Amino acid sequence: MKRSTVRLLAPVVALAVVGVSCGDDDDAPDESARGRITEVQAGDSILDAVIEADSLRCGVRADLPGFSATNEAGEHEGFDADFCRVIAAAVLGDATKVEFVDVETAARFTALQAGEIDVLSRNTTWTASRDGTEGATFLHPTFYDGQAMMVAADTFTSIDEMDGAVVCVAGGTTTEGNAAAEFERRGLTVEVSSFESVDLLQEAFLAGSCDGWSSDYSQLNSLRANYPEGSEALVIFDDIFSKEPLAPAVIDGDTAWAQAVNWAILSTIQAEEYGLTSDNVDEGLTHDDPNIVQFLGGENVDGTVLDTGIGLPPDFAYQVISQVGNYGEIFEANLAPLGLERGVNALWTDGGLQYAPPYR
Amino acid sequence: MTAHATPAAPSPTPRDQRGHAAVPPWRDVRNLAWLFQFAVVLGAIALVAWLWGNYQDRSAASNIPSSFSFLNQPADFPISGSDFRRTQPVRAAIVEGLFNTLRLVVAGVILATVVGTLVGIARLSKNFLVNKAAQVYVEFIRNIPLFALLVLMYSAVVLRVLPDPRPGRGGSWEWGPVAVLNTRGIGVLWFEGGNLRFVLVVAVFAVVGAVTARLRRRRSDATGAPARTGLWGGVAGLAAAAAVWALLGLGISAPELSGLRTTGGIVMTPPYAAALAALVIYTSSHIAEIVRGSILAVPRGQGEAANAVALSSFQRMWFVVLPQALRVGVPAIGNQYLNLAKNSSLAAAIAFPELTQIVGLSVANRSPAVPAFALLLLIYLVISLVLSALVNLANRRLAIVER
């Protein structure tokens, strides 16, 4: 091409690029690299996107045994991972249609905001700031936890002896603030060291760099069970000094999806209340109590099937219980081996906090 | 005789006032160049505007704030090694993190320069062992990622070499009143009585030392006696500094072990020690190569001339070779300083509360991510610009004056 032709065409091309880039934003729904609808507009819900893609992207972690960790085969196992399967079973009818996405603590809310994951099930505490500033909507807490302190055996017997102690935490969570608040409340001084990874924290603790290790009580149990020097080398104090309701979260502004996920979770609690387990759920379809039959999406004696209109198939509870299990089964399978007891996570009929609204 | 008709002269090219060939404006190269630049700038602005608009729309759709008002919110996290209270605002936390980063950067720059220069000179030594040792050091360190070095320094070196202070596991090393070492920290002898007064003492030392050195130099030029400026300047400076020290009532604080804690002195936490060591080792290996290259760039005749006037090898290096070498090397060394300043952000992984970690903590505690990290980028930009301005100052002073 002649130089003069190039010089003529170049600004035209530049202006064309400018024009195209300016005109494009609001015509089509924003599509992420995976072709999903990631921006909620009128009529679009993540529920529809998940059904259309036939797979649920669930944000979890890979390093907390009991809640969410990968086994030798690379599959995710744990309490939070099982609740991902519960949601997939409810929405898609198949508990295996989950795509587990490991998210770092620092990136978990940005992943949700950006639409990289559909639901976050990663032992995340429900707080007001996260409802607000982080743009998340939290659903029914699956585990009511609290923050506790773990020390090496034979060093301290209670937090009150730890004036001026060095407490190590895995950072980026509510843990630092809670630890500092608790020591302030007791009139003690503390140095809080905030690590990014649990592995380096464990190295520091083994080398004697920390007096105490603070985290959620459930996490401490898991970490203690996997401590290299054995779990007898560590002692977890009984004082729980914060409220940490761990709940799955979805993004703000999508009520349909939030309600669908919420009822998927609540169905496990309701199932335990009805005494339905993965073994006897088939008998529930022909139960005398019509509430149980309707709950499972079965046909009543008169041929009617209850459809509550929350966007889930009528038999979602049946799929959840038969493929994953009820709340008690999920708890027993994942958290009981860590030594955790039901405590406040028992059903309301047993004096705990797990209470599902009626399915009617 | 046949008359040949003279071929008609071609009509002259139309020209404008300046004598340029007249060209229609849409083909005029000067116009087109200007138009193209304008279009590119417009394109760049449009891209940034589109990204900004996209960000604002998405934040509004998810009810996430996108302003800088988070700086006034209570931080809700403590910072180790300082008096920061969690009810103080986020901007105070960021300032605290900035000071920690500067502690790392300033100490790192000074140590890396010293170590790097020594290793660079060692690389050129005639002594086989020294030469090879320096070569192995440089080749190994230059070729490993800094993050791996950092984690190695922390978990394998600092935490394993230092003793565990807990009873029954060894106990700390106490080196008299000078230092106390354990995995909680390295406590070293330090002054007590206020930072400002200490800076005054250092200033007195510098001024008195420089003045004495200059007087000695003048005396030596006049009488020919050896100047020994270093000796005279150093002793005079120390004497004056000691006098001012006593006058201002500064004291010495020795580190002491009480239980598991080290009180007194100044305590270097293991994360700081590991981060400093890793940064210094890594950057010094790069600076060593730059120093070696710039020394080799000094013409050989300079060194031979220095030998001819019977300068000792130290004098040859210090007065003849290094000044000329540094002129070549300063811009590249300045680049390494910038790398050090930015690499200091990796120390967040080993629990050193520097700027990146503080901003990360605030984002985890409800600050919006995009404004917070944009602010972080701006602060690093300012640090880098200040560093490079200082290096340019040094460069201008050392610049080769061409005749």
Side-chain angles (χ1 to χ4, degrees):
Chain A
M1 259 190 177
K2 279 169 55 177
R3 196 166 64 167
S4 50
T5 320
V6 171
R7 290 192 189 203
L8 187 63
L9 281 181
V12 173
V13 168
L15 283 170
V17 164
V18 168
V20 163
S21 67
C22 270
D24 196 37
D25 358 14
D26 298 310
D27 298 339
D30 286 358
E31 296 255 336
S32 75
R34 298 206 190 122
R36 295 239 187 157
I37 297 172
T38 55
E39 189 176 301
V40 174
Q41 292 166 335
D44 290 334
S45 167
I46 298 179
L47 183 58
D48 302 316
V50 169
I51 294 173
E52 193 177 309
D54 202 33
S55 145
L56 173 78
R57 287 175 307 174
C58 205
V60 291
R61 61 194 292 183
D63 58 350
L64 190 61
F67 278 87
S68 176
T70 44
N71 60 13
E72 295 96 34
E75 293 155 0
H76 283 79
E77 290 180 340
F79 189 76
D80 288 329
D82 276 347
F83 270 100
C84 289
R85 297 190 174 100
V86 161
I87 301 167
V91 176
L92 302 168
D94 186 349
T96 58
K97 288 187 178 164
V98 185
E99 188 188 325
F100 289 102
V101 179
D102 294 328
V103 285
E104 287 299 308
T105 312
R108 55 196 166 158
F109 287 108
T110 37
L112 197 60
Q113 290 157 15
E116 274 174 46
I117 53 179
D118 300 312
V119 63
L120 178 72
S121 177
R122 195 192 179 280
N123 65 300
T124 309
T125 311
W126 180 6
T127 68
S129 307
R130 289 170 177 177
D131 263 347
T133 335
E134 304 281 10
T137 295
F138 282 87
L139 306 163
H140 183 86
T142 48
F143 190 86
Y144 291 94
D145 205 354
Q147 190 166 329
M149 176 76 70
M150 180 161 73
V151 297
D154 304 327
T155 47
F156 304 98
T157 51
S158 95
I159 296 181
D160 292 307
E161 292 173 16
M162 295 175 74
D163 192 11
V166 175
V167 171
C168 296
V169 302
T173 66
T174 48
T175 321
E176 296 102 343
N178 285 335
E182 179 63 12
F183 274 77
E184 260 172 50
R185 196 180 68 83
R186 292 172 189 241
L188 310 168
T189 54
V190 67
E191 290 266 325
V192 178
S193 248
S194 176
F195 287 80
E196 270 184 21
S197 85
V198 171
D199 309 309
L200 281 176
L201 208 182
Q202 192 163 271
E203 286 292 311
F205 198 85
L206 281 166
S209 223
C210 310
D211 285 313
W213 185 346
S214 186
S215 184
D216 292 348
Y217 186 76
S218 56
Q219 283 197 48
L220 289 178
N221 269 292
S222 163
L223 296 162
R224 178 168 169 245
N226 293 291
Y227 195 60
E229 290 179 9
S231 48
E232 326 74 48
L234 297 172
V235 165
I236 304 178
F237 294 155
D238 289 326
D239 317 313
I240 309 280
F241 48 84
S242 76
K243 293 190 287 193
E244 307 280 333
L246 306 180
V250 296
I251 196 167
D252 266 350
D254 192 349
T255 324
W257 178 233
Q259 284 178 342
V261 175
N262 207 19
W263 278 99
I265 298 165
L266 290 168
S267 67
T268 59
I269 301 168
Q270 184 65 73
E272 195 187 355
E273 200 186 309
Y274 282 146
L276 295 167
T277 69
S278 45
D279 300 318
N280 66 15
V281 65
D282 289 310
E283 296 156 18
L285 285 170
T286 47
H287 205 271
D288 299 324
D289 186 353
N291 285 328
I292 295 182
V293 175
Q294 288 185 101
F295 171 64
L296 293 173
E299 220 177 78
N300 278 331
V301 187
D302 309 302
T304 50
V305 175
L306 175 64
D307 183 5
T308 48
I310 44 180
L312 295 170
D315 68 339
F316 78 93
Y318 175 80
Q319 300 296 345
V320 165
I321 303 161
S322 61
Q323 295 184 36
V324 189
N326 68 23
Y327 183 85
E329 288 180 283
I330 299 175
F331 196 105
E332 283 300 305
N334 295 299
L335 300 180
L338 298 179
L340 287 171
E341 292 171 1
R342 290 295 290 267
V344 293
N345 291 299
L347 288 179
W348 63 287
T349 46
D350 299 327
L353 291 174
Q354 295 293 0
Y355 181 118
Y359 187 77
R360 272 212 292 279
Chain B
M1 210 157 46
T2 332
H4 294 279
T6 355
S11 55
T13 326
R15 292 190 182 272
D16 64 10
Q17 296 109 321
R18 292 216 200 131
H20 295 141
V23 169
W26 69 84
R27 271 203 292 134
D28 189 344
V29 159
R30 292 161 294 164
N31 288 345
L32 291 181
W34 184 87
L35 194 65
F36 182 62
Q37 289 171 43
F38 175 72
V40 167
V41 167
L42 204 65
I45 295 175
L47 182 69
V48 171
W50 175 73
L51 285 173
W52 178 252
N54 202 30
Y55 164 62
Q56 294 285 52
D57 287 340
R58 291 293 302 273
S59 304
S62 320
N63 280 329
I64 300 165
S66 55
S67 68
F68 285 95
S69 58
F70 70 93
L71 290 169
N72 297 325
Q73 295 263 348
D76 219 18
F77 56 86
I79 300 177
S80 74
S82 80
D83 302 325
F84 184 78
R85 290 180 313 278
R86 20 167 241 119
T87 43
Q88 283 179 264
V90 171
R91 58 172 190 273
I94 290 180
V95 167
E96 200 57 53
L98 182 61
F99 280 153
N100 279 331
T101 296
L102 288 177
R103 269 181 213 130
L104 203 53
V105 169
V106 170
V109 158
I110 294 171
L111 284 174
T113 312
V114 168
V115 174
T117 311
L118 288 174
V119 173
I121 295 173
R123 264 301 255 124
L124 296 165
S125 163
K126 300 270 190 312
N127 183 328
F128 180 77
L129 199 60
V130 169
N131 193 333
K132 284 304 161 196
Q135 184 173 7
V136 165
Y137 173 86
V138 168
E139 288 308 318
F140 179 67
I141 302 290
R142 254 193 342 161
N143 295 315
I144 61 178
L146 177 57
F147 187 73
L149 184 63
L150 186 69
V151 173
L152 196 78
M153 288 301 303
Y154 183 67
S155 52
V157 177
V158 170
L159 286 182
R160 296 272 166 254
V161 165
L162 290 177
D164 192 335
R166 291 178 290 184
R169 287 170 187 256
S172 324
W173 295 337
E174 300 180 59
W175 297 346
V178 177
V180 172
L181 296 95
N182 57 36
T183 50
R184 297 296 167 91
I186 300 170
V188 173
L189 203 63
W190 201 243
F191 66 91
E192 66 178 344
N195 287 339
L196 227 53
R197 285 186 270 182
F198 184 72
V199 169
L200 196 61
V201 169
V202 171
V204 164
F205 170 78
V207 166
V208 171
V211 166
T212 316
R214 180 158 292 189
L215 288 175
R216 280 300 304 173
R217 166 71 50 213
R218 216 173 283 167
R219 190 88 193 290
S220 160
D221 287 344
T223 62
R228 307 222 194 278
T229 51
L231 190 64
W232 282 81
V235 168
L238 270 176
V244 177
W245 181 291
L247 208 67
L248 288 177
L250 286 172
I252 300 197
S253 159
E256 259 173 39
L257 202 57
S258 62
L260 291 178
R261 241 149 304 294
T262 309
T263 50
I266 192 169
V267 179
M268 231 187 344
T269 54
Y272 179 77
L276 189 63
L279 281 172
V280 165
I281 291 173
Y282 183 78
T283 314
S284 68
S285 72
H286 289 263
I287 291 182
E289 278 299 279
I290 295 171
V291 166
R292 180 174 80 99
S294 49
I295 288 178
L296 286 176
V298 175
R300 268 191 44 175
Q302 299 288 314
E304 289 170 354
N307 282 338
V309 291
L311 291 177
S312 74
S313 55
F314 170 77
Q315 286 170 322
R316 182 178 75 227
M317 186 59 73
W318 187 256
F319 292 109
V320 176
V321 177
L322 266 186
Q324 295 184 62
L326 281 180
R327 283 175 189 161
V328 176
V330 160
I333 295 179
N335 207 24
Q336 293 304 321
Y337 292 164
L338 292 184
N339 283 346
L340 192 149
K342 288 175 288 180
N343 286 338
S344 68
S345 64
L346 290 174
I350 52 171
F352 184 62
E354 49 81 53
L355 190 59
T356 310
Q357 194 198 56
I358 299 291
V359 171
L361 281 180
S362 84
V363 168
N365 277 292
R366 77 176 160 262
S367 297
V370 174
F373 283 111
L375 186 64
L376 181 70
L377 290 180
L378 267 170
I379 297 178
Y380 272 112
L381 183 66
V382 169
I383 294 176
S384 296
L385 287 176
V386 167
L387 257 179
S388 57
L390 289 172
V391 167
N392 280 339
L393 206 69
N395 201 20
R396 222 171 297 140
R397 289 207 50 195
L398 292 172
I400 301 170
V401 176
E402 308 250 306
R403 268 192 256 225

